[in-house]
């Protein structure tokens, strides 16, 4: 059974930084992608960033390019999302996701973590 456990969310002022972690178990690291989505009440969940655990390729949504960095430690089965220059509009619940088939960009996740709240105050 695949389990994704996020941590690292919190409250930060605009311009600040946070690092999210996603510990994955039961997942074939080195083969498929892991990504981050975020959700705001009243809006559709949106993809933020993905990483190929096979070759380290990365994908970022336009809204976070240049500010967020995704990385993976395959030895620890963990993916990180370093978020810098945070803005109030980054406030959301962030979810670690997989679909078990994609090499890089995850469009329709099939497994979601429990989520971690990120709140950016102005």
């Amino acid at each position: 059974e695949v389990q994704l456990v996020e941590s690292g969310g919190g409250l930060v002022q605009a311009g600040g930084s946070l690092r999210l972690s996603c510990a994955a178990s039961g997942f074939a690291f080195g083969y498929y992608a892991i990504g981050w989505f975020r959700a705001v009440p009243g809006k559709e969940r949106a993809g933020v960033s993905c990483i190929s655990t096979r070759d380290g390729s990365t994908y970022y949504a336009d809204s976070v390019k240049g500010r967020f960095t995704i990385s993976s430690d395959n030895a620890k089965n963990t993916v990180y999302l370093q978020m810098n220059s945070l803005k109030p509009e980054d406030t959301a619940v962030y979810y670690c996701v997989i679909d078990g088939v994609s090499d890089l960009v995850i469009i329709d996740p099939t497994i979601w973590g429990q989520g971690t709240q990120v709140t950016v105050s102005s």
Side-chain angles (χ1 to χ4, degrees):
E1 179 187 3
V2 177
Q3 285 193 320
L4 305 172
V5 179
E6 304 97 332
S7 61
L11 172 64
V12 65
Q13 288 189 329
S17 299
L18 283 173
R19 188 175 83 152
L20 306 183
S21 299
C22 171
S25 60
F27 173 71
F29 259 81
Y31 289 90
Y32 302 115
I34 290 184
W36 292 92
F37 272 55
R38 63 187 180 187
V40 177
K43 293 187 177 181
E44 197 170 327
R45 290 176 176 180
V48 175
S49 181
C50 301
I51 186 166
S52 167
T53 63
R54 180 178 58 81
D55 64 8
S57 300
T58 57
Y59 159 84
Y60 298 96
D62 287 344
S63 58
V64 305
K65 276 182 185 175
R67 301 188 297 121
F68 290 12
T69 302
I70 191 170
S71 61
S72 70
D73 185 336
N74 287 12
K76 295 182 179 180
N77 284 10
T78 301
V79 171
Y80 305 97
L81 186 67
Q82 178 67 44
M83 306 186 294
N84 299 329
S85 302
L86 283 161
K87 305 175 181 179
E89 50 264 43
D90 293 317
T91 295
V93 178
Y94 284 71
Y95 296 90
C96 183
V97 300
I98 63 171
D99 66 5
V101 294
S102 298
D103 182 56
L104 177 57
V105 180
I106 297 172
I107 302 297
D108 188 19
T110 54
I111 297 177
W112 299 71
Q114 85 284 357
T116 185
Q117 177 71 47
V118 171
T119 303
V120 184
S121 62
S122 57

